[in-house]
PDB file of all heavy atoms in Angstrom:
ATOM      1  N   ASN A 337     116.742  99.772  62.452  1.00 92.00           N
ATOM      2  CA  ASN A 337     115.660  99.047  61.786  1.00 92.00           C
ATOM      3  C   ASN A 337     115.688  97.551  62.084  1.00 92.00           C
ATOM      4  O   ASN A 337     114.781  96.826  61.681  1.00 92.00           O
ATOM      5  CB  ASN A 337     115.747  99.272  60.269  1.00 92.00           C
ATOM      6  CG  ASN A 337     115.496 100.721  59.905  1.00 92.00           C
ATOM      7  OD1 ASN A 337     114.572 101.343  60.419  1.00 92.00           O
ATOM      8  ND2 ASN A 337     116.342 101.271  59.032  1.00 92.00           N
ATOM      9  N   GLN A 338     116.749  97.107  62.764  1.00 92.00           N
ATOM     10  CA  GLN A 338     116.792  95.702  63.183  1.00 92.00           C
ATOM     11  C   GLN A 338     116.287  95.605  64.624  1.00 92.00           C
ATOM     12  O   GLN A 338     116.643  96.405  65.475  1.00 92.00           O
ATOM     13  CB  GLN A 338     118.218  95.151  63.102  1.00 92.00           C
ATOM     14  CG  GLN A 338     118.728  94.974  61.685  1.00 92.00           C
ATOM     15  CD  GLN A 338     119.967  94.101  61.655  1.00 92.00           C
ATOM     16  OE1 GLN A 338     119.967  92.973  62.164  1.00 92.00           O
ATOM     17  NE2 GLN A 338     121.026  94.607  61.052  1.00 92.00           N
ATOM     18  N   HIS A 339     115.467  94.611  64.881  1.00 93.00           N
ATOM     19  CA  HIS A 339     114.891  94.420  66.213  1.00 93.00           C
ATOM     20  C   HIS A 339     115.376  93.079  66.753  1.00 93.00           C
ATOM     21  O   HIS A 339     114.692  92.057  66.671  1.00 93.00           O
ATOM     22  CB  HIS A 339     113.365  94.479  66.137  1.00 93.00           C
ATOM     23  CG  HIS A 339     112.860  95.776  65.549  1.00 93.00           C
ATOM     24  ND1 HIS A 339     112.947  96.974  66.217  1.00 93.00           N
ATOM     25  CD2 HIS A 339     112.310  96.047  64.336  1.00 93.00           C
ATOM     26  CE1 HIS A 339     112.447  97.943  65.459  1.00 93.00           C
ATOM     27  NE2 HIS A 339     112.061  97.397  64.312  1.00 93.00           N
ATOM     28  N   VAL A 340     116.588  93.123  67.280  1.00 94.00           N
ATOM     29  CA  VAL A 340     117.234  91.919  67.799  1.00 94.00           C
ATOM     30  C   VAL A 340     117.065  91.882  69.320  1.00 94.00           C
ATOM     31  O   VAL A 340     117.284  92.888  70.002  1.00 94.00           O
ATOM     32  CB  VAL A 340     118.732  91.894  67.433  1.00 94.00           C
ATOM     33  CG1 VAL A 340     119.414  90.656  68.019  1.00 94.00           C
ATOM     34  CG2 VAL A 340     118.910  91.929  65.917  1.00 94.00           C
ATOM     35  N   TYR A 341     116.658  90.731  69.840  1.00 95.00           N
ATOM     36  CA  TYR A 341     116.481  90.544  71.280  1.00 95.00           C
ATOM     37  C   TYR A 341     117.406  89.442  71.765  1.00 95.00           C
ATOM     38  O   TYR A 341     117.499  88.374  71.145  1.00 95.00           O
ATOM     39  CB  TYR A 341     115.046  90.127  71.612  1.00 95.00           C
ATOM     40  CG  TYR A 341     113.994  91.182  71.340  1.00 95.00           C
ATOM     41  CD1 TYR A 341     113.342  91.239  70.107  1.00 95.00           C
ATOM     42  CD2 TYR A 341     113.630  92.085  72.329  1.00 95.00           C
ATOM     43  CE1 TYR A 341     112.353  92.189  69.864  1.00 95.00           C
ATOM     44  CE2 TYR A 341     112.648  93.039  72.099  1.00 95.00           C
ATOM     45  CZ  TYR A 341     112.015  93.091  70.865  1.00 95.00           C
ATOM     46  OH  TYR A 341     111.044  94.024  70.632  1.00 95.00           O
ATOM     47  N   LEU A 342     118.083  89.700  72.872  1.00 94.00           N
ATOM     48  CA  LEU A 342     118.842  88.674  73.577  1.00 94.00           C
ATOM     49  C   LEU A 342     118.127  88.379  74.888  1.00 94.00           C
ATOM     50  O   LEU A 342     117.925  89.282  75.709  1.00 94.00           O
ATOM     51  CB  LEU A 342     120.267  89.153  73.871  1.00 94.00           C
ATOM     52  CG  LEU A 342     121.069  88.316  74.871  1.00 94.00           C
ATOM     53  CD1 LEU A 342     121.342  86.921  74.311  1.00 94.00           C
ATOM     54  CD2 LEU A 342     122.373  89.006  75.251  1.00 94.00           C
ATOM     55  N   VAL A 343     117.721  87.122  75.071  1.00 94.00           N
ATOM     56  CA  VAL A 343     117.183  86.689  76.364  1.00 94.00           C
ATOM     57  C   VAL A 343     118.338  85.965  77.067  1.00 94.00           C
ATOM     58  O   VAL A 343     118.659  84.822  76.730  1.00 94.00           O
ATOM     59  CB  VAL A 343     115.973  85.750  76.189  1.00 94.00           C
ATOM     60  CG1 VAL A 343     115.437  85.330  77.559  1.00 94.00           C
ATOM     61  CG2 VAL A 343     114.872  86.438  75.378  1.00 94.00           C
ATOM     62  N   PRO A 344     118.986  86.625  78.049  1.00 92.00           N
ATOM     63  CA  PRO A 344     120.230  86.078  78.609  1.00 92.00           C
ATOM     64  C   PRO A 344     119.984  85.069  79.729  1.00 92.00           C
ATOM     65  O   PRO A 344     120.475  85.235  80.857  1.00 92.00           O
ATOM     66  CB  PRO A 344     120.929  87.329  79.120  1.00 92.00           C
ATOM     67  CG  PRO A 344     119.805  88.215  79.557  1.00 92.00           C
ATOM     68  CD  PRO A 344     118.670  87.952  78.588  1.00 92.00           C
ATOM     69  N   ALA A 345     119.273  84.005  79.396  1.00 90.00           N
ATOM     70  CA  ALA A 345     118.955  82.975  80.400  1.00 90.00           C
ATOM     71  C   ALA A 345     120.088  81.955  80.469  1.00 90.00           C
ATOM     72  O   ALA A 345     119.863  80.745  80.379  1.00 90.00           O
ATOM     73  CB  ALA A 345     117.625  82.309  80.050  1.00 90.00           C
ATOM     74  N   PHE A 346     121.316  82.457  80.668  1.00 89.00           N
ATOM     75  CA  PHE A 346     122.473  81.573  80.663  1.00 89.00           C
ATOM     76  C   PHE A 346     122.454  80.617  81.849  1.00 89.00           C
ATOM     77  O   PHE A 346     122.988  79.508  81.769  1.00 89.00           O
ATOM     78  CB  PHE A 346     123.766  82.392  80.691  1.00 89.00           C
ATOM     79  CG  PHE A 346     123.900  83.358  79.546  1.00 89.00           C
ATOM     80  CD1 PHE A 346     124.505  84.579  79.726  1.00 89.00           C
ATOM     81  CD2 PHE A 346     123.425  83.042  78.282  1.00 89.00           C
ATOM     82  CE1 PHE A 346     124.643  85.479  78.686  1.00 89.00           C
ATOM     83  CE2 PHE A 346     123.547  83.933  77.220  1.00 89.00           C
ATOM     84  CZ  PHE A 346     124.159  85.157  77.423  1.00 89.00           C
ATOM     85  N   THR A 347     121.885  81.056  82.972  1.00 81.00           N
ATOM     86  CA  THR A 347     121.762  80.200  84.160  1.00 81.00           C
ATOM     87  C   THR A 347     120.310  80.157  84.622  1.00 81.00           C
ATOM     88  O   THR A 347     120.018  80.147  85.812  1.00 81.00           O
ATOM     89  CB  THR A 347     122.660  80.708  85.305  1.00 81.00           C
ATOM     90  OG1 THR A 347     122.324  82.074  85.597  1.00 81.00           O
ATOM     91  CG2 THR A 347     124.129  80.617  84.947  1.00 81.00           C
TER      92      THR A 347
END
Side-chain angles (χ1 to χ4, degrees):
N337 295 315
Q338 290 195 55
H339 303 290
V340 178
Y341 293 91
L342 167 66
V343 180
F346 302 145
T347 56

